[in-house]
Amino acid sequence: MRRMAGKAKDETLIELKSATDSHIGDEDSGNGVHSLSERGTLPGHTDTEKQCPNKDTVFFRDGVRRIDFVLSYVDDKVGEKKQERRKEFEANLEKAGLELETEDKLDSKDQKTYFLKIHAPWDVLATYADVLKIKVPFKTSDIPHGQDIPLGWLSRPFRPPEHIMHPQPDYFTYPFDKSKTDFFLISDKDTFFPPSTRNRIVFYILARCPYYKEGRKDKEKTGIKRLLSNGTYTAAFPLHDCRYWKRARNAECESERYNLYKHWARFLSFYKDQPLNLIRKYYGEKIGIYFAWLGFYTEMLFFAAVMGFICFTYGLLSYDDNISSKEICDANIGGRIVMCPLCDKKCTFWKLNSTCLSSWQSHLFDNEGTVFFAIFMGIWVTLFLEFWKRRQARLEYEWDLVDFEEEQQQLQIRPEFEIRCNKRRLNKITQEMEPYLPISSKCARFCLSGATVAFWISLIVACIIGVIAYRLAVYAAFASIIEHPVRNIHLVGRFITPQLATSVTASCINFVIIMILNFFYERVAIWITDMEIPKTHLEYENRLTLKMFMFQFVNYYSSCFYVAFFKGKFVGYPGDYSYMFGKWSNLRNEECDPGGCLIELTTQLVIVMSGKQLWGNIQEALLPLLRNLWSSRKGRQHPENQYSRWEQDHVLQNFSQLGLFYEYLEMVIQFGFITLFVASFPLAPLLALFNNILEIRVDAWKFTTQFRRPVASKARNIGAWQEILNAVAILSVVTNAFIMAFTSDMIPRMVYLYAYSQDASMSGYINNSLSVYNISQIPDPNIPEKTENWIDNSTTTCSYRDYRYPPGHLKEYTHTMQFWHILAAKMAFIIIMEHVVFVVKFFVAWLIPDVPSDVKARVKRERYLIQEYLHNYEVERLKLQLSASFITEPVSEMSSTTDKLEVLSEFL
């Protein structure tokens, strides 16, 4: 059934309702529930336990009351303060109406840990469902859900069973009202609120329950989070409904965890649809939305991967038509072209044909198909975002999130904000006092936070500069290792060139630095976000998201931006080279590989992207698997009557509040790799597709086997990540246009073909793209240390990549007209490509509505029917009230009352 949190009221209202219903705990104290005062006399094994030896259950010892939450703690010898806090906290829980039952440490496997089981009775659930305006069913929906898909039988092998895909019928829902319980479909009060709703309500109470003594007011002593942080309790979690590898023995248990593991978490199910409705029912809408987005993103990646593979295949098939590479490899062309040294002193002159292999490799990714693929990806990213909005709108309707507003849950004031903000002011809307953070304190905290983020981003830039300096210094070392490059180039340098060795080692070092900086900054980002004291959960997540993404963006992409847009662009020429820190540093600005800068960008992208995905999979799958392999085997060996459900869940990992944040961040960073720099590596979407197929099942496996059951929470969309994806999509159009214009050799080749070629072919392009310099004019600081016995005495000039006039010309060593033609063509290409892609993007976005028309119609129809049913209910209720008052009135007033009833009925 649809379950949805309504708009939350102020905490004051909750306290008033809690106070109104506080007698519930007192009335139930003799109902077989062990209160705090009775704990000291709890026997190790009761008669109920002997009758029900199976401890793998989600019910109290009476087998009737469901365990909605579990708290665990270890009774320390020097923990008197902790005992006092626990005593007051649990007493307040009982006053709030919750029922408690304790498992003695002697009954636990380690004989050290106590487990406090919590059950929320009907009155408590009803009270807080009313306060939180949780939507519950009141009538089975009679709106048909679309027509059968033509040839739908073809998709059956890819779909889990129907009872897994749709584990519950469809209902009309309405915010729960405790005064109208007869309006809702309540057949059994024990099962009316599903486990996910029950644990959310209990956690809401736990997060706001104080643990100070009665008569004292200490606002800091509030909530389970503080009790966990100070060690009073070791864990707080709701229970899984069964073991993941077998169904629950109790027929009243849903065994949804087992179904999720069987039909979702196993890797052999990678080709099947995800059971999103069951995921949502078991874990809540927030986690369900994440897996829905991840699944949709993976589906859309399939089309990008196919197109990228086609472009790569085109590069392979056009291998033999690559005239430029043939000229480079030709001994009579590339073998006779002497190139100028690529660094000072250590680097010597070299032959152009030594770059034969890299030129062929560059052609695989730098060809005519790359332009088409860059344009395609600009349109693909728009289609992805627009179609996701439609899928999201459909999920909002199907999961009853249409009327859900973030303030219903996400905008609830954080307990940390209430505790740390001592000052209060009047809310002009609610006319009630609420805590607030003074503007002076807020500004000071923001300034410190901004300075911290700026410092860490500056640290990244400094590390990148250090890696660049490493590339410049080490290139000369690699170049000096290969002696006599002209004579032995085919023996050693054919596969291991100084450029390749420098690029690969620098990329690996850069990746290690990225991982180290990530490790430290994650903790810093959480610390400074906590220091800002955000008011709401949504504000907290958005601030942390912004900080983390800004850092990750600079950390992961800065090296790729350097290779794509800066390397080889500010080199100078043999007589006037540019230096990184000035000529005193002797660090000459790095030139591109003779095969082009695009192949180096490809190398950088492959190492960073593949390394991140490999490391992420090791962290997410391999390490938890090895760590829990022994404990899992041990858990399976324990008989059910000895290894309780709460103990099994207690040894699992805790799913933190920021668990989904890191999952989203990982995928958004990947999204940046396959969009921002995809023009340099068309196979990037294919790598991402394989990774995501694994990622879905790894995440599903973690949720079902490695993590405790998280507290269910709601979300109608992916939050701030949607805006980040939109920004990355817009930026990707610009970056790919610049990559094709300035990093790729596509534009110079096209200008030569259509403006300078004599026979309308690429023959002669290599000689045309090189300029020459008089060796005798090379300054002494730039001349190689050893030049004897390697070059013919007849060689007087060396070549370099640029468009400059030759020595002896009136405009010696200045840019030729062809240089300006190419520059104009590059700028024109950028403008045309950006405008074409943006026009198509905006047209597609306009053409595809965010909400499907059938969903709009269903929403309107459902709202109308809800109002009609509610109106009829109120009319019937009023008639019953008037009839009851009519019976109790004197006979003399009967006629007038009858007249009033008839008039009122007609009016209604």
Side-chain angles (χ1 to χ4, degrees), residues 681-698:
F681 187 46
L683 293 180
L686 185 63
L687 293 181
L689 175 64
F690 290 146
N691 176 80
N692 287 9
I693 291 174
L694 179 63
E695 179 76 18
I696 291 174
R697 305 304 158 178
V698 168

PDB file of all heavy atoms in Angstrom, residues 681-698:
ATOM      1  N   PHE A 681      37.578   9.827 -25.711  1.00  0.00           N
ATOM      2  CA  PHE A 681      37.560   8.384 -25.444  1.00  0.00           C
ATOM      3  C   PHE A 681      36.138   7.861 -25.617  1.00  0.00           C
ATOM      4  O   PHE A 681      35.380   7.760 -24.663  1.00  0.00           O
ATOM      5  CB  PHE A 681      38.071   8.105 -24.029  1.00  0.00           C
ATOM      6  CG  PHE A 681      38.250   6.645 -23.728  1.00  0.00           C
ATOM      7  CD1 PHE A 681      38.888   5.807 -24.624  1.00  0.00           C
ATOM      8  CD2 PHE A 681      37.776   6.105 -22.545  1.00  0.00           C
ATOM      9  CE1 PHE A 681      39.058   4.452 -24.353  1.00  0.00           C
ATOM     10  CE2 PHE A 681      37.940   4.755 -22.262  1.00  0.00           C
ATOM     11  CZ  PHE A 681      38.584   3.928 -23.166  1.00  0.00           C
ATOM     12  N   PRO A 682      35.750   7.504 -26.856  1.00  0.00           N
ATOM     13  CA  PRO A 682      34.372   7.054 -27.093  1.00  0.00           C
ATOM     14  C   PRO A 682      33.995   5.783 -26.350  1.00  0.00           C
ATOM     15  O   PRO A 682      32.798   5.477 -26.236  1.00  0.00           O
ATOM     16  CB  PRO A 682      34.348   6.822 -28.609  1.00  0.00           C
ATOM     17  CG  PRO A 682      35.457   7.636 -29.157  1.00  0.00           C
ATOM     18  CD  PRO A 682      36.518   7.633 -28.097  1.00  0.00           C
ATOM     19  N   LEU A 683      34.972   5.031 -25.847  1.00  0.00           N
ATOM     20  CA  LEU A 683      34.654   3.805 -25.127  1.00  0.00           C
ATOM     21  C   LEU A 683      34.339   4.055 -23.653  1.00  0.00           C
ATOM     22  O   LEU A 683      34.034   3.113 -22.921  1.00  0.00           O
ATOM     23  CB  LEU A 683      35.821   2.811 -25.226  1.00  0.00           C
ATOM     24  CG  LEU A 683      36.112   2.244 -26.623  1.00  0.00           C
ATOM     25  CD1 LEU A 683      37.287   1.267 -26.564  1.00  0.00           C
ATOM     26  CD2 LEU A 683      34.886   1.542 -27.197  1.00  0.00           C
ATOM     27  N   ALA A 684      34.410   5.313 -23.200  1.00  0.00           N
ATOM     28  CA  ALA A 684      34.114   5.621 -21.794  1.00  0.00           C
ATOM     29  C   ALA A 684      32.707   5.187 -21.389  1.00  0.00           C
ATOM     30  O   ALA A 684      32.530   4.598 -20.317  1.00  0.00           O
ATOM     31  CB  ALA A 684      34.324   7.112 -21.523  1.00  0.00           C
ATOM     32  N   PRO A 685      31.657   5.446 -22.190  1.00  0.00           N
ATOM     33  CA  PRO A 685      30.321   4.952 -21.797  1.00  0.00           C
ATOM     34  C   PRO A 685      30.252   3.438 -21.677  1.00  0.00           C
ATOM     35  O   PRO A 685      29.500   2.918 -20.844  1.00  0.00           O
ATOM     36  CB  PRO A 685      29.415   5.468 -22.929  1.00  0.00           C
ATOM     37  CG  PRO A 685      30.127   6.636 -23.489  1.00  0.00           C
ATOM     38  CD  PRO A 685      31.576   6.299 -23.394  1.00  0.00           C
ATOM     39  N   LEU A 686      31.024   2.711 -22.495  1.00  0.00           N
ATOM     40  CA  LEU A 686      31.015   1.249 -22.411  1.00  0.00           C
ATOM     41  C   LEU A 686      31.627   0.790 -21.086  1.00  0.00           C
ATOM     42  O   LEU A 686      31.089  -0.114 -20.426  1.00  0.00           O
ATOM     43  CB  LEU A 686      31.783   0.658 -23.592  1.00  0.00           C
ATOM     44  CG  LEU A 686      31.765  -0.870 -23.714  1.00  0.00           C
ATOM     45  CD1 LEU A 686      30.340  -1.369 -23.933  1.00  0.00           C
ATOM     46  CD2 LEU A 686      32.680  -1.327 -24.850  1.00  0.00           C
ATOM     47  N   LEU A 687      32.730   1.415 -20.684  1.00  0.00           N
ATOM     48  CA  LEU A 687      33.321   1.088 -19.378  1.00  0.00           C
ATOM     49  C   LEU A 687      32.349   1.418 -18.254  1.00  0.00           C
ATOM     50  O   LEU A 687      32.208   0.655 -17.285  1.00  0.00           O
ATOM     51  CB  LEU A 687      34.635   1.853 -19.189  1.00  0.00           C
ATOM     52  CG  LEU A 687      35.810   1.479 -20.098  1.00  0.00           C
ATOM     53  CD1 LEU A 687      37.027   2.321 -19.737  1.00  0.00           C
ATOM     54  CD2 LEU A 687      36.141  -0.002 -19.980  1.00  0.00           C
ATOM     55  N   ALA A 688      31.689   2.555 -18.364  1.00  0.00           N
ATOM     56  CA  ALA A 688      30.725   2.949 -17.332  1.00  0.00           C
ATOM     57  C   ALA A 688      29.549   1.979 -17.292  1.00  0.00           C
ATOM     58  O   ALA A 688      29.037   1.662 -16.206  1.00  0.00           O
ATOM     59  CB  ALA A 688      30.222   4.373 -17.597  1.00  0.00           C
ATOM     60  N   LEU A 689      29.106   1.496 -18.456  1.00  0.00           N
ATOM     61  CA  LEU A 689      27.995   0.546 -18.499  1.00  0.00           C
ATOM     62  C   LEU A 689      28.355  -0.743 -17.769  1.00  0.00           C
ATOM     63  O   LEU A 689      27.573  -1.235 -16.936  1.00  0.00           O
ATOM     64  CB  LEU A 689      27.632   0.247 -19.954  1.00  0.00           C
ATOM     65  CG  LEU A 689      26.558  -0.819 -20.174  1.00  0.00           C
ATOM     66  CD1 LEU A 689      25.222  -0.370 -19.593  1.00  0.00           C
ATOM     67  CD2 LEU A 689      26.420  -1.141 -21.657  1.00  0.00           C
ATOM     68  N   PHE A 690      29.526  -1.314 -18.058  1.00  0.00           N
ATOM     69  CA  PHE A 690      29.943  -2.535 -17.372  1.00  0.00           C
ATOM     70  C   PHE A 690      30.068  -2.305 -15.866  1.00  0.00           C
ATOM     71  O   PHE A 690      29.675  -3.148 -15.055  1.00  0.00           O
ATOM     72  CB  PHE A 690      31.282  -3.031 -17.933  1.00  0.00           C
ATOM     73  CG  PHE A 690      31.189  -3.575 -19.326  1.00  0.00           C
ATOM     74  CD1 PHE A 690      32.232  -3.424 -20.228  1.00  0.00           C
ATOM     75  CD2 PHE A 690      30.047  -4.235 -19.753  1.00  0.00           C
ATOM     76  CE1 PHE A 690      32.138  -3.931 -21.520  1.00  0.00           C
ATOM     77  CE2 PHE A 690      29.947  -4.735 -21.041  1.00  0.00           C
ATOM     78  CZ  PHE A 690      30.988  -4.587 -21.924  1.00  0.00           C
ATOM     79  N   ASN A 691      30.616  -1.145 -15.499  1.00  0.00           N
ATOM     80  CA  ASN A 691      30.753  -0.841 -14.078  1.00  0.00           C
ATOM     81  C   ASN A 691      29.397  -0.730 -13.398  1.00  0.00           C
ATOM     82  O   ASN A 691      29.216  -1.237 -12.277  1.00  0.00           O
ATOM     83  CB  ASN A 691      31.524   0.472 -13.909  1.00  0.00           C
ATOM     84  CG  ASN A 691      31.618   0.906 -12.462  1.00  0.00           C
ATOM     85  OD1 ASN A 691      32.440   0.422 -11.697  1.00  0.00           O
ATOM     86  ND2 ASN A 691      30.758   1.832 -12.055  1.00  0.00           N
ATOM     87  N   ASN A 692      28.428  -0.089 -14.049  1.00  0.00           N
ATOM     88  CA  ASN A 692      27.130   0.135 -13.416  1.00  0.00           C
ATOM     89  C   ASN A 692      26.308  -1.141 -13.309  1.00  0.00           C
ATOM     90  O   ASN A 692      25.517  -1.300 -12.374  1.00  0.00           O
ATOM     91  CB  ASN A 692      26.356   1.201 -14.183  1.00  0.00           C
ATOM     92  CG  ASN A 692      26.923   2.590 -13.963  1.00  0.00           C
ATOM     93  OD1 ASN A 692      27.985   2.740 -13.381  1.00  0.00           O
ATOM     94  ND2 ASN A 692      26.234   3.595 -14.440  1.00  0.00           N
ATOM     95  N   ILE A 693      26.442  -2.044 -14.286  1.00  0.00           N
ATOM     96  CA  ILE A 693      25.774  -3.336 -14.164  1.00  0.00           C
ATOM     97  C   ILE A 693      26.257  -4.046 -12.913  1.00  0.00           C
ATOM     98  O   ILE A 693      25.468  -4.631 -12.153  1.00  0.00           O
ATOM     99  CB  ILE A 693      26.032  -4.186 -15.422  1.00  0.00           C
ATOM    100  CG1 ILE A 693      25.306  -3.583 -16.628  1.00  0.00           C
ATOM    101  CG2 ILE A 693      25.572  -5.630 -15.207  1.00  0.00           C
ATOM    102  CD1 ILE A 693      25.616  -4.275 -17.938  1.00  0.00           C
ATOM    103  N   LEU A 694      27.562  -3.958 -12.676  1.00  0.00           N
ATOM    104  CA  LEU A 694      28.113  -4.538 -11.451  1.00  0.00           C
ATOM    105  C   LEU A 694      27.719  -3.730 -10.228  1.00  0.00           C
ATOM    106  O   LEU A 694      27.412  -4.289  -9.167  1.00  0.00           O
ATOM    107  CB  LEU A 694      29.638  -4.625 -11.572  1.00  0.00           C
ATOM    108  CG  LEU A 694      30.402  -5.192 -10.378  1.00  0.00           C
ATOM    109  CD1 LEU A 694      30.006  -6.642 -10.123  1.00  0.00           C
ATOM    110  CD2 LEU A 694      31.902  -5.083 -10.607  1.00  0.00           C
ATOM    111  N   GLU A 695      27.700  -2.401 -10.375  1.00  0.00           N
ATOM    112  CA  GLU A 695      27.403  -1.512  -9.245  1.00  0.00           C
ATOM    113  C   GLU A 695      26.007  -1.763  -8.678  1.00  0.00           C
ATOM    114  O   GLU A 695      25.821  -1.793  -7.454  1.00  0.00           O
ATOM    115  CB  GLU A 695      27.522  -0.051  -9.705  1.00  0.00           C
ATOM    116  CG  GLU A 695      27.209   0.978  -8.634  1.00  0.00           C
ATOM    117  CD  GLU A 695      28.329   1.151  -7.633  1.00  0.00           C
ATOM    118  OE1 GLU A 695      29.466   0.737  -7.953  1.00  0.00           O
ATOM    119  OE2 GLU A 695      28.070   1.675  -6.544  1.00  0.00           O
ATOM    120  N   ILE A 696      25.018  -1.951  -9.553  1.00  0.00           N
ATOM    121  CA  ILE A 696      23.651  -2.186  -9.090  1.00  0.00           C
ATOM    122  C   ILE A 696      23.591  -3.429  -8.221  1.00  0.00           C
ATOM    123  O   ILE A 696      22.992  -3.426  -7.132  1.00  0.00           O
ATOM    124  CB  ILE A 696      22.688  -2.308 -10.291  1.00  0.00           C
ATOM    125  CG1 ILE A 696      22.539  -0.959 -10.992  1.00  0.00           C
ATOM    126  CG2 ILE A 696      21.322  -2.813  -9.836  1.00  0.00           C
ATOM    127  CD1 ILE A 696      21.715  -1.029 -12.264  1.00  0.00           C
ATOM    128  N   ARG A 697      24.192  -4.506  -8.678  1.00  0.00           N
ATOM    129  CA  ARG A 697      24.131  -5.763  -7.918  1.00  0.00           C
ATOM    130  C   ARG A 697      24.998  -5.708  -6.672  1.00  0.00           C
ATOM    131  O   ARG A 697      24.648  -6.300  -5.648  1.00  0.00           O
ATOM    132  CB  ARG A 697      24.533  -6.931  -8.823  1.00  0.00           C
ATOM    133  CG  ARG A 697      23.707  -7.023 -10.095  1.00  0.00           C
ATOM    134  CD  ARG A 697      22.210  -7.104  -9.816  1.00  0.00           C
ATOM    135  NE  ARG A 697      21.419  -6.678 -10.983  1.00  0.00           N
ATOM    136  CZ  ARG A 697      20.103  -6.686 -11.017  1.00  0.00           C
ATOM    137  NH1 ARG A 697      19.401  -7.074  -9.973  1.00  0.00           N
ATOM    138  NH2 ARG A 697      19.471  -6.278 -12.106  1.00  0.00           N
ATOM    139  N   VAL A 698      26.125  -4.998  -6.742  1.00  0.00           N
ATOM    140  CA  VAL A 698      26.964  -4.854  -5.543  1.00  0.00           C
ATOM    141  C   VAL A 698      26.226  -4.058  -4.478  1.00  0.00           C
ATOM    142  O   VAL A 698      26.217  -4.430  -3.290  1.00  0.00           O
ATOM    143  CB  VAL A 698      28.314  -4.186  -5.898  1.00  0.00           C
ATOM    144  CG1 VAL A 698      29.053  -3.756  -4.637  1.00  0.00           C
ATOM    145  CG2 VAL A 698      29.184  -5.136  -6.707  1.00  0.00           C
TER     146      VAL A 698
END
